[in-house]
Amino acid sequence: MTAPKELIDVNWKMNLQLSHSKIADTKTQIALVEFLLADKEAKSTEQVLVEFTKDELMDFYKKLEEMQAQLDALL
């Protein structure tokens, strides 16, 4: 098993995907989140790019809030 990687930076940007068809015009909000991770054993970094819809981003945020609440309860 390898050692966990350390989060060293987060970047993000918002995109709006447009599609047009005879059936419907749609607009999809997309958040692109880039996590830069450090692997101290390998002395390297890794870029992880994750794409979230609005709903997926809200779910991710809620999970982070739950994690934060559990960490706060430990103190």
Side-chain angles (χ1 to χ4, degrees), residues 10-72:
V10 176
N11 296 300
W12 59 273
K13 70 178 182 177
M14 301 299 295
N15 284 343
L16 185 62
Q17 291 182 343
L18 303 173
S19 65
H20 176 75
S21 70
K22 293 181 181 179
I23 298 171
D25 288 330
T26 59
K27 297 177 185 174
T28 305
Q29 299 171 351
I30 299 293
L32 293 172
V33 182
E34 174 192 56
F35 299 100
L36 187 59
L37 308 175
D39 184 335
K40 291 186 178 186
E41 286 182 353
K43 297 181 181 172
S44 64
T45 60
E46 177 183 358
Q47 173 188 2
V48 177
L49 188 61
V50 182
E51 184 178 283
F52 293 101
T53 64
K54 183 178 179 183
D55 290 339
E56 291 168 340
L57 186 58
M58 286 304 299
D59 289 342
F60 182 64
Y61 175 77
K62 288 175 186 175
K63 289 176 184 174
L64 289 174
E65 285 287 310
E66 290 173 18
M67 291 168 54
Q68 183 65 54
Q70 290 179 14
L71 287 171
D72 290 344

